Amino acid sequence: MAIQLLVAKVLRDELSLRGIRSLSAEDSEAIAARIFERITELELELAARGFNIPASGDGRPT
Protein backbone atom coordinates (compact mmCIF):
# COMPACT_ATOMS: atom_id res chain seq x y z
CA MET A 1 0.00 0.00 0.00
CA ALA A 2 1.59 3.25 -1.17
CA ILE A 3 0.15 5.40 1.62
CA GLN A 4 1.86 3.20 4.21
CA LEU A 5 5.20 3.74 2.49
CA LEU A 6 4.56 7.48 2.49
CA VAL A 7 3.74 7.44 6.20
CA ALA A 8 6.87 5.37 6.87
CA LYS A 9 8.98 7.96 5.03
CA VAL A 10 7.39 10.80 6.98
CA LEU A 11 8.07 8.90 10.21
CA ARG A 12 11.75 8.44 9.31
CA ASP A 13 12.06 12.10 8.34
CA GLU A 14 10.42 13.32 11.55
CA LEU A 15 12.59 11.08 13.72
CA SER A 16 15.70 12.19 11.83
CA LEU A 17 14.82 15.83 12.51
CA ARG A 18 14.79 14.94 16.18
CA GLY A 19 18.19 13.26 16.03
CA ILE A 20 16.94 9.67 15.90
CA ARG A 21 18.67 7.94 13.01
CA SER A 22 18.56 4.27 13.97
CA LEU A 23 15.15 3.33 12.56
CA SER A 24 15.50 1.19 9.45
CA ALA A 25 13.19 1.48 6.46
CA GLU A 26 11.77 -1.93 7.31
CA ASP A 27 11.05 -0.89 10.90
CA SER A 28 9.39 2.33 9.84
CA GLU A 29 7.24 0.44 7.32
CA ALA A 30 6.22 -2.05 10.02
CA ILE A 31 5.34 0.80 12.37
CA ALA A 32 3.30 2.53 9.67
CA ALA A 33 1.44 -0.71 8.93
CA ARG A 34 0.68 -1.13 12.64
CA ILE A 35 -0.57 2.47 12.84
CA PHE A 36 -3.05 1.73 10.05
CA GLU A 37 -4.12 -1.50 11.79
CA ARG A 38 -4.75 0.41 15.01
CA ILE A 39 -6.71 3.11 13.19
CA THR A 40 -8.88 0.42 11.62
CA GLU A 41 -9.43 -1.19 15.02
CA LEU A 42 -10.40 2.18 16.51
CA GLU A 43 -12.80 2.90 13.64
CA LEU A 44 -14.48 -0.48 14.18
CA GLU A 45 -14.72 0.11 17.92
CA LEU A 46 -16.22 3.57 17.41
CA ALA A 47 -18.68 2.19 14.86
CA ALA A 48 -19.70 -0.51 17.35
CA ARG A 49 -20.35 2.21 19.92
CA GLY A 50 -22.58 4.07 17.49
CA PHE A 51 -20.24 6.86 16.42
CA ASN A 52 -20.62 7.99 12.83
CA ILE A 53 -17.26 8.16 11.09
CA PRO A 54 -17.33 10.31 7.94
CA ALA A 55 -16.25 8.40 4.86
CA SER A 56 -14.89 11.55 3.25
CA GLY A 57 -12.12 11.77 5.81
CA ASP A 58 -12.90 15.36 6.75
CA GLY A 59 -12.51 14.49 10.41
CA ARG A 60 -15.74 16.09 11.52
CA PRO A 61 -18.09 13.97 13.63
CA THR A 62 -21.58 13.53 12.25
Side-chain angles (χ1 to χ4, degrees):
M1 176 179 262
I3 192 72
Q4 287 182 0
L5 295 176
L6 179 61
V7 170
K9 171 79 168 93
V10 169
L11 175 61
R12 285 192 307 274
D13 291 348
E14 288 297 317
L15 290 173
S16 180
L17 286 172
R18 289 160 178 78
I20 301 169
R21 304 193 192 292
S22 61
L23 189 66
S24 71
E26 293 81 16
D27 286 339
S28 62
E29 290 169 18
I31 291 168
R34 182 63 186 136
I35 288 170
F36 281 96
E37 289 172 11
R38 292 181 68 185
I39 289 170
T40 300
E41 291 167 2
L42 288 170
E43 287 177 335
L44 292 172
E45 184 178 333
L46 289 173
R49 292 182 183 198
F51 286 87
N52 289 329
I53 302 169
S56 65
D58 64 9
R60 293 179 293 170
T62 57

